[in-house]
Amino acid sequence: MKRKDFTRRKFIATVSAGSVAAAVSSSIPTFGNITTANNNTGKLAILGGTPVASEKVWPKWPYVDERVVDEIVKTTRSGIWCRIQSPDGTVPTFEKEFANLMGSKLSVCTGSGTQALNTCVEALGIGPGDEVITSPYTDPGTISSILTSRVLPVMADLDPESYQLDPDDVEKRITENTRAIMPVQMGGQSCNMERIMTIAKKHNLRVIEDAAQAHLAEYQGKKVGTIGDLGCFSFQVSKTIACGEGGAIIGNDEELMDKCFTVQNHGTNHQGRTTTIGPKYRMNEFEAAILLGQLPGVKERFALRNKNAAYLTSRLKDFPGLVPQKLYEGTVSGSFYLYMMSYHKEYFNNAPRGKFLKALEAEGINLSTYLSNGLHKEPWTEHILTLKVYQKMYSPARLKRYRDELSYPNCDKVCDEMAMIWASGPLLGTKKDMDDIINAVMKVYDNRDKLNSI
Ligand SMILES: *Cc1c(COP(=O)(O)O)cnc(C)c1O
């Protein structure tokens, strides 16, 4: 049975037939691929039963092996600690390797993903008075990279099934001052980039991909991050390639990438002339040493995350209570930095998400809610509206409209329903680990009549 055929009425009819027996025996309704494993019946752990996965140990993250340690030691001993000391240092070397890995001509590293994004904003000459459209459902670094240049971050609402920017809403929010779209590749899977690129072309806008979560993901035959004008990545400790704090820009336009280098190098170009306004965002050699040490197994880890994600999705296929992130047509692979799902309480006896997560946690499975609210609900929006630079650069009518349009019902819904496997570590687990996740969910589902009382 396909999920779209699985109407709520049909679902309720199916489950009510077996629901009394389900509490006491093994005659539990099955949903397509979802079958009851031996250990997912019985009393909830939170009520004193045996947990599905007690003392679960997930694969450790960040990834460390002897190669990583060796690279750090080598850099320490070399005395080359800053990228300007040598063209063969770890940063320039990693830039070449990362560009190769991503199938782009060039790469410039920075001290974080946020810095990479802000470097792009600056390099594209986007500044006060301009607007950039992005998502309210993202890391605060996305918004920060726009605000740092005193640009107006205009947020568009989401497709509630993919958690990605809704291209129609993006188009509605374009004004005469819009200069760029900054699509966020949420979870590490691609937005509807085909539509976003079409809209950008039509309105003559630049596209800066926030691919901070999307290392190696592929869409329509291209690596995510190589579709727009520039693509940005994060190597913050939780990400699927990690060095603590770090970031990179990739791109094919040599002139533009040169500008990115100059901006992040306090305005000083490759020839040593200080030509423009720029912060100092250089990555240091220790960070790149860790990245170089981590690159060798990166494709294998990426493949394993995709395999595990596909397996989870196959097991949840016909279960409407916990619905995995919708992937757009053209998605070849994702980074699966996050494995995102929506919790639909109507299938869990209307138990609030908090109770579902609490019961699941007692079974040994922790799911994360990620953001408690979209970034449009954080105090920065009011803050910028009272700042002199914003009041000078944007008309009172524009700022009034900005405040009036801070409404994102789909994002609010996503925040309320989100239950995700966070982050780079768990999806490197075994098939048994993945089964434990699903079995715990099914056990809680089987006991849904008790959820409201926990
Ligand atoms: C992590 C992240 C960022 C910021 O990257 P940092 O390296 O933490 O500065 C930006 N956008 C998204 C979507 C992220 O996940």
Side-chain angles (χ1 to χ4, degrees):
M1 199 182 300
K2 295 252 165 58
R3 190 187 305 138
K4 66 178 182 338
D5 307 327
F6 211 119
T7 63
R8 196 168 160 229
R9 181 185 297 270
K10 228 179 201 165
F11 178 79
I12 287 166
T14 317
V15 299
S16 56
S19 61
V20 177
V24 291
S25 82
S26 60
S27 62
I28 287 156
T30 58
F31 307 96
N33 282 15
I34 292 181
T35 49
T36 306
N38 297 331
N39 59 348
N40 76 340
T41 54
K43 201 174 190 178
L44 286 176
I46 200 164
L47 298 174
T50 309
V52 169
S54 57
E55 291 166 50
K56 185 140 211 66
V57 184
W58 296 104
K60 226 178 85 189
W61 197 261
Y63 181 84
V64 181
D65 64 13
E66 283 314 303
R67 256 184 318 228
V68 175
V69 175
D70 286 350
E71 288 286 347
I72 273 284
V73 171
K74 232 164 59 189
T75 294
T76 307
R77 293 215 164 104
S78 75
I80 306 223
W81 293 359
C82 167
R83 71 167 297 160
I84 64 167
Q85 287 176 271
S86 165
D88 303 318
T90 57
V91 176
T93 305
F94 178 75
E95 285 176 344
K96 284 185 203 101
E97 296 213 2
F98 191 64
N100 274 344
L101 183 70
M102 301 304 296
S104 79
K105 217 185 254 177
L106 292 159
S107 165
V108 173
C109 283
T110 57
S112 71
T114 307
Q115 292 176 8
L117 289 165
N118 179 244
T119 299
C120 295
V121 171
E122 287 287 331
L124 289 167
I126 300 170
D130 294 334
E131 303 179 12
V132 171
I133 300 179
T134 191
S135 168
Y137 193 69
T138 182
D139 183 275
T142 311
I143 302 290
S144 159
S145 76
I146 300 166
L147 291 175
T148 300
S149 295
R150 305 308 189 262
V151 172
L152 193 64
V154 173
M155 292 163 286
D157 208 356
L158 308 181
D159 171 339
E161 292 175 31
S162 68
Y163 326 127
Q164 313 278 16
L165 274 177
D166 168 11
D168 290 329
D169 203 48
V170 168
E171 191 160 27
K172 273 188 212 140
R173 290 178 193 255
I174 294 171
T175 73
E176 59 184 13
N177 294 318
T178 306
R179 298 283 311 281
I181 305 172
M182 192 182 279
V184 177
Q185 314 290 10
M186 202 57 210
Q189 287 66 252
S190 184
C191 292
N192 186 343
M193 285 305 289
E194 186 174 330
R195 290 270 336 269
I196 287 173
M197 293 309 290
T198 304
I199 291 166
K201 208 166 265 171
K202 181 171 150 199
H203 297 272
N204 197 24
L205 305 175
R206 298 295 206 141
V207 175
I208 305 166
E209 287 183 67
D210 180 346
Q213 305 184 349
H215 316 81
L216 295 174
E218 201 175 314
Y219 171 85
Q220 293 187 342
K222 283 186 175 169
K223 287 273 191 315
V224 170
T226 66
I227 303 164
D229 294 279
L230 293 165
C232 293
F233 294 85
S234 166
F235 306 120
Q236 187 265 348
V237 66
S238 70
K239 306 290 158 87
T240 60
I241 302 177
C243 66
E245 300 281 6
I249 306 160
I250 56 172
N252 291 323
D253 178 334
E254 284 178 37
E255 199 181 324
L256 186 52
M257 288 301 284
D258 239 23
K259 267 190 200 155
C260 288
F261 177 86
T262 304
V263 166
Q264 63 84 46
N265 190 37
H266 48 49
T268 303
N269 67 17
H270 277 297
Q271 291 74 42
R273 303 307 303 267
T274 303
T275 58
T276 189
I277 302 171
K280 190 181 169 205
Y281 282 164
R282 292 195 303 241
M283 175 179 275
N284 77 51
E285 293 274 305
F286 295 99
E287 291 162 335
I290 296 184
L291 294 171
L292 281 174
Q294 223 176 66
L295 276 187
V298 97
K299 283 185 183 166
E300 288 76 10
R301 288 192 286 280
F302 171 80
L304 180 57
R305 281 196 196 88
N306 273 275
K307 187 177 152 204
N308 277 330
Y311 179 64
L312 288 170
T313 303
S314 76
R315 287 211 58 196
L316 287 170
K317 188 163 67 84
D318 297 319
F319 179 57
L322 200 60
V323 179
Q325 177 177 24
K326 175 178 99 182
L327 304 180
Y328 287 104
E329 210 184 309
T331 299
V332 180
S333 56
S335 83
F336 291 101
Y337 164 66
L338 309 171
Y339 186 86
M340 308 175 84
M341 299 168 280
S342 291
Y343 171 70
H344 292 162
K345 67 172 186 227
E346 58 272 35
Y347 298 104
F348 284 86
N349 196 24
N350 280 322
R353 179 182 58 174
K355 296 200 177 208
F356 165 70
L357 295 178
K358 217 168 114 188
L360 211 54
E361 192 180 341
E363 300 299 337
I365 302 298
N366 267 302
L367 295 185
S368 164
T369 55
Y370 198 58
L371 303 179
S372 52
N373 53 258
L375 295 178
H376 59 289
K377 292 195 169 165
E378 294 294 314
W380 67 269
T381 53
E382 275 310 308
H383 174 66
I384 65 164
L385 292 172
T386 64
L387 281 183
K388 220 185 223 165
V389 61
Y390 280 88
Q391 290 179 347
K392 271 201 170 152
M393 298 310 299
Y394 303 86
S395 71
R398 178 66 187 104
L399 295 183
K400 182 185 180 303
R401 203 180 122 201
Y402 186 80
R403 183 186 270 123
D404 292 346
E405 289 179 353
L406 286 172
S407 166
Y408 305 90
N410 289 343
C411 177
D412 296 343
K413 180 176 147 71
V414 168
C415 290
D416 288 346
E417 294 179 348
M418 181 54 58
M420 63 165 72
I421 303 172
W422 190 96
S424 302
L427 255 68
L428 295 177
T430 59
K431 182 161 178 283
K432 158 110 179 26
D433 289 332
M434 301 305 116
D435 282 329
D436 284 347
I437 295 169
I438 303 296
N439 290 342
V441 168
M442 286 303 116
K443 182 176 168 188
V444 174
Y445 172 75
D446 294 340
N447 287 278
R448 62 197 174 281
D449 57 327
K450 296 175 199 77
L451 270 187
N452 277 306
S453 64
I454 66 170

